[in-house]
């Protein structure tokens, strides 16, 4: 599950390694996330991990494998199946000065803890007039593509991105898997980290001892001049693939990885669109009321007179994700869909 | 209930589940079946024993580990296998997969992959029957892990408060994924805790199909008589890993082996044997019959068509021509 | 709480009463909703109401007052504080052939039942390949403006409108309060009805024995030619007031009441915008990722070349709604904000 | 604990809550206070008795009916009254209101208006203390209605499983809004049910402040000694309607009147009297003192400034200059 295979990832470390810097390390997204947790726990004894099957089982996607051996069952803490209680316990522990990382197996199950997340974690700082802060990190998986059916395949990033008081991030590269968790732990407010299950096997390089990555900015993953492809999380690889195809057709696509979904680094989006005058927003969420709608609306607000065409959206079909392979693939955005939308936009 | 024919029938049902799932494992390795698959192997006596006490009009709500419940409720191996293949002939037209088997006609209401989430639904089915004075009952299967979810607590209280015709069957297989019972619960006597909600509750040996059936019959007839919900804790064990992804690092080999000595299938075969020959013949015959069924199911599933991609958006909402 | 005061509502019954038809009846939104439930229960004995304090207390906003006396405690059923269980029980009862109306006191508490709503009610028809239907109606209140603080003042319509498998409606007039519930009960799929608490006292008229109103279409509440003000629910009165002010300034605003939030009657929006070439979307939800973003994005997609200005949004400030009066009012959209946005749009 | 001075102090605390809330009623009618306001009148012995057993470092999590808990925990009447007025001098700067009183310095963590939602939070505060080996404990107040929520179940199990230093105080006032205990729960013996989670649990007369204090002290010292969570069911009653909106149609007048004969304030005053004069003098003096406090609080609240609208967006997230 954690073996190192030869690279096939199209992503590169975003920050250049200085010539005389530490050797870049080849690793996977899964391992990078694990190392980020390991480092955080070594560095700061207020940090601990809790969630279902994070310890004895090693994490339902193997992310926390081995951590309980190093840090013990107090700091790598298996919980009962009680999403509300253990998320709420994370909130309380954060308020009391700890730095909990709470893992919710998938965002689908986060619904069971949604009251704690919205009504407590996100609201308590405001309700208390600024007295109470919640430096909590919630890690959860998202996304479809593995034939897990409707109750395991939602992409609800957009709901979280709607909530004032939260910060929401979606690392889409190995480097960000390594760096953004540390950034999240440095944040005094609750941060929700979305990990697309399709990314865990992604290979890439990270610096030997990477610093915390910022959790504020979007990043251009590929430069281009004809159209801006705006995306995040699990759709980044597909969008980069689409940009390759478009390049073959003579269309130069810029790929912007939002990285942080709340607050949006909108100036980066606007800057890209002001260069390309065309935009396509790509995400795996259902179309109606997805985050792509927000990005599109804001592009219109900021760059209406610079747009040569309406902003296009490539999203999931509005259907509970079906099990059958052909249906599931038809339901979620494919590189070809991005290509088609970009082609139409620049037409 | 203890007559030979009946026991032979139960053995056949358990065997069907066992062989069906063993075939699933092969098909999973061959990538014919995908997604999450949770095997019931070892726990067959629970689904078969409880279903033996239910009538065809009674409703069943189960978990993601529900091949056994589905087959025991009378879903055909064909329709279940086709579902695992994602084919249009599947019991959920290939939209559900292993975790979402449905058969409304047989009143099998899933196939629910959110732990504990079947419980409120089951209470609602029971509520409808109670409000209309129906004789039928609803049976909900769930795990020891699910007992820790808030949805269990709310449903248990609601069912007891309203006297719903609901049979709650907790399959205590000692683990929720990799978390053992004593890491899930401070108080591990689940039947005792269930009783604290004000409903009748007891535990039964889940490796003995007759014991399960007897306990379930007692509960079912009390429920039908209007005594309100009952809780049955079936003490059982899964012989395989949690799912096909699980490397099963958290259990001792000896523990697994010990439980295998309590395998309900050879136990019942031996009992039939003791009841008089030709019991071996029984087993051989049943095995053959089951193998034919499973073979046929696989063949049919292989050959069945896929749902066309053009139909993707069907079954999200009801088409306008259908009225409530 | 239910007294009849002289009319001050700007809304009129949307369907004209024929000259010789039944006398129009003056009533309130609250009473209209109650009458709709009463009629439904008289008409169809599969219909029942369940929720916290719907019976002995009369409904936390007095909507169901008196119903238990007429229909008894079986059909007007008080529940324990167990949102997940009683919403799930509504789903199960609906599947088994009943027509439950489940009341969740406020949308804030619906988070406790969100798993049942998204993972079961909305998904089960699809997961079962069309075998299982959930003719369930969920009624819940929404909105701010009564100084109830952050945990009682959310507007989460947009989350529900994101979910395939649900239908979402927001009656904004007395007439619709009366008619849309019946429409919802006729629907074979789960319908969520949002009632803005600020509307309960609204006065208006309904026909003597109104039919079920459609739950598919948006409706023009005021004709205009310069700008389309698109809104729903609790923001309708404020938007109509804004249109009055704009008229005084010589700006002719069309007011479109969406009525149904999923699926959106987008053709009505597009038709209006093609007449006015300007649009402002008004809602009480937080701006980022609100439904207004979806409406704006779709207007751009459908009417880009007809728009004379970017679509504007008037939404709530991105803050958990504060208690203090001046802060709360500053957080939510006011008629003056709509006026300002419309003015700027047509400028 | 039973000495005169101590009891007099408890009386003063109960009186402060009573008179403070009576004034709130007037101010509500005068529209100086808005929103939902839930009165604690009749239940003062619970908050005062339990808080008498807590130290200043112990944390408290309460409900929307929390004026009493806040005052008993030592929040000043000024800061609470200003909060009700929505003023910037309020304990939550006017952003919370009656249902969201906070004082982090005094470890009063709200003021939670989602029934049951304070429980997981309290478990987390206790978890932090346990992990760091702190001696302090966390006390969470909640109602009989909250006991039916899934969040109670999950928290009770988690706390017992992990041996958290948590005192769960269930204020059983026999109603959740308009729903009586027997319409909320099939089994109404809440302490017995709590015990089924594997924690020590007992009931106490919530109308007797000394009884509450004694029970709480026993629980608190066991918790501090490492015995894990304890559950206290305080049997009490609210004399007023659920909230200012509630016409209170669902309770018999006689029932309310009977409970008023058990009012903890005159009961304690009478007891002081029996302990020796001049008890009347005590009461008169305490009443005067409390009246002065409440008057001053109202005056200060009236005069205090409002938060400027320009500051609306403060306290949503932490400004960048503050690091975790
Ligand atoms: C709400 C929720 N949380 C977590 C999961 C992931 N998960 C699937 S099965 C399982 C263990 C459930 O254990 P138990 O209830 O004992 O049933 P068993 O699998 O042992 O039959 C977990 C944690 C889930 N599906 N739903
Ligand atoms: C989750 C949730 N559901 C419903 C409500 C509305 N509500 C507020 S208080 C209350 C009754 C709570 O009863 P109980 O827990 O006994 O506390 P009490 O008010 O009697 O002190 C209800 C239903 C709420 N605030 N939160
Ligand atoms: Mg189990
Ligand atoms: Mg109560």
């Amino acid at each position: 599950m954690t073996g190192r295979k030869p690279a096939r990832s199209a992503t590169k470390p975003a920050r250049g390694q200085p010539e005389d810097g530490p050797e870049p390390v080849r690793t996977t997204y899964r391992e990078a996330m694990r190392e980020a947790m390991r480092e955080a726990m070594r560095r700061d004894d207020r940090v601990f991990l809790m969630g279902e099957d994070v310890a004895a089982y090693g994490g339902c996607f193997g992310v926390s494998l081995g951590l309980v051996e190093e840090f013990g069952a107090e700091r790598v803490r298996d919980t009962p199946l009680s999403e509300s209680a253990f998320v709420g316990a994370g909130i309380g522990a954060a308020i009391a000065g700890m730095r909990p990382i709470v893992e919710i197996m998938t965002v689908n199950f986060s619904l069971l803890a949604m009251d704690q997340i919205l009504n407590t974690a996100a609201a308590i700082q405001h309700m208390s007039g600024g007295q109470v802060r919640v430096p909590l990190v919630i890690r959860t998986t998202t996304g479809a593509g593995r034939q897990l059916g409707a109750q395991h395949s939602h992409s609800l990033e957009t709901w979280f991105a709607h909530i004032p008081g939260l910060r929401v991030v979606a690392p889409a590269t190995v480097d960000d898997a390594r760096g953004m968790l540390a950034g999240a732990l440095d944040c005094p407010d609750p941060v929700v980290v979305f990990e697309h299950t399709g990314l865990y096997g992604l290979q890439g390089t990270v610096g030997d001892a990477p610093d915390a990555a910022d959790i504020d900015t979007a990043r251009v993953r590929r430069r281009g001049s004809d159209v801006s492809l705006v995306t995040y999380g699990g759709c980044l690889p597909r969008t980069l693939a689409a940009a390759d195809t478009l390049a073959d057709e003579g269309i130069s696509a810029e790929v912007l990885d939002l990285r942080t979904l709340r607050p949006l680094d909108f100036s980066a989006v606007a800057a890209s669109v002001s260069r390309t005058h065309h935009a396509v927003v790509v995400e795996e969420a259902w179309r109606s009321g997805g985050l792509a709608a927000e990005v599109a609306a804001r592009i219109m607000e900021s760059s209406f007179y610079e747009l040569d065409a309406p902003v296009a959206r490539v999203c999931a079909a509005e259907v509970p994700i079906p099990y059958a392979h052909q249906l599931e693939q038809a339901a979620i955005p494919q590189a070809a869909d991005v290509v088609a939308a970009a082609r139409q936009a620049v037409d | 209930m203890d007559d030979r024919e009946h026991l032979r029938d139960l053995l056949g049902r358990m065997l069907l589940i066992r062989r069906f799932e063993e075939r699933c494992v092969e098909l999973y390795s061959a990538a014919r079946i995908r997604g999450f698959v949770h095997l019931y192997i070892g726990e067959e006596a629970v689904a078969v024993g409880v279903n033996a006490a239910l009538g065809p009009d009674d409703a069943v709500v189960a978990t993601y580990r529900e091949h056994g419940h589905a087959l025991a409720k009378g879903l055909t191996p064909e329709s279940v296998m086709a579902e695992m293949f994602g084919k249009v002939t599947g019991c959920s037209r290939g939209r559900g997969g292993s975790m979402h088997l449905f058969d409304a006609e047989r009143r099998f209401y899933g196939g629910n992959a959110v732990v504990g989430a079947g419980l409120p639904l089951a209470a609602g089915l029971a509520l409808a029957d109670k409000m209309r004075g129906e004789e039928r009952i609803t049976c909900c299967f769930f795990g020891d892990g699910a007992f820790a979810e808030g949805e269990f607590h709310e449903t248990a209280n609601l069912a007891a408060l309203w006297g719903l015709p609901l049979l709650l069957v907790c399959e205590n297989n000692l683990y929720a994924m990799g978390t053992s019972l004593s890491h899930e619960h401070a108080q591990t006597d689940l039947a005792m805790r269930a009783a604290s909600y004000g409903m009748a509750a007891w535990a039964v040996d889940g490796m003995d199909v007759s014991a399960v059936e007897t306990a379930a019959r007692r509960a079912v007839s009390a429920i039908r008589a209007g005594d309100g919900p009952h809780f049955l804790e079936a003490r059982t064990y899964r012989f395989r890993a949690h799912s096909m992804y699980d490397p099963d690092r958290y259990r001792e080999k000896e523990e697994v082996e010990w439980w295998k000595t309590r395998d309900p299938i050879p136990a019942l075969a031996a009992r039939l044997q003791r009841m008089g020959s030709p019991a071996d013949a029984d087993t051989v015959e049943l095995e053959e019959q089951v193998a034919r069924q499973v073979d046929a199911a696989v063949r049919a599933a292989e050959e069945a068509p896929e749902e066309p991609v053009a139909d993707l958006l069907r079954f999200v909402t009801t088409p306008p021509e259908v009225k409530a």
Side-chain angles (χ1 to χ4, degrees), chain B residues 83 91-93 95-97 100-105 107-109 111-112 114 116-125 127-132 136 151 154-155 157-158 161-162 164 311-319 322-324:
Chain B
E83 189 58 34
C91 59
S92 308
R93 294 183 70 103
R95 308 217 172 215
H100 302 298
L101 306 175
F102 281 88
D103 189 335
E105 212 172 293
R107 305 204 79 223
F108 187 77
Y109 290 108
N112 199 313
V114 178
L119 288 153
L121 177 82
L125 296 169
L127 173 61
D129 287 339
K130 166 131 185 153
M131 289 182 78
R132 287 186 303 216
R136 60 199 195 178
E151 294 188 331
E154 296 187 1
T155 303
N157 178 47
L158 199 75
L161 184 64
W162 291 352
L164 300 183
D311 283 350
L312 173 63
L313 296 182
R314 284 185 70 186
F315 315 124
V316 179
T317 52
T318 307
V322 183
K323 273 282 157 195

Side-chain angles (χ1 to χ4, degrees), chain B residues 275-288:
Chain B
M275 290 175 87
S277 59
D280 276 347
D282 280 336
T283 312
V284 170
E285 202 185 311
L286 287 171
E287 287 278 16
E288 277 171 11

Side-chain angles (χ1 to χ4, degrees), chain A residues 27-90:
Chain A
T27 185
T28 61
Y29 187 101
R30 174 185 285 110
E31 287 173 339
M33 189 59 75
R34 182 188 306 140
E35 285 314 304
M37 289 198 281
R38 194 192 305 277
E39 269 165 26
M41 284 196 273
R42 284 186 186 160
R43 194 174 50 225
D44 183 347
D45 61 16
R46 298 171 307 172
V47 175
F48 68 103
L49 171 67
M50 92 178 134
E52 290 157 12
D53 293 301
V54 295
Y57 191 98
C60 80
F61 293 98
V63 177
S64 53
L65 195 65
L67 295 184
V68 68
E69 286 77 4
E70 177 168 350
F71 300 102
E74 285 279 304
R75 291 185 70 196
V76 180
R77 192 174 271 266
D78 277 334
T79 65
L81 276 140
S82 303
E83 283 78 4
S84 240
F86 70 73
V87 170

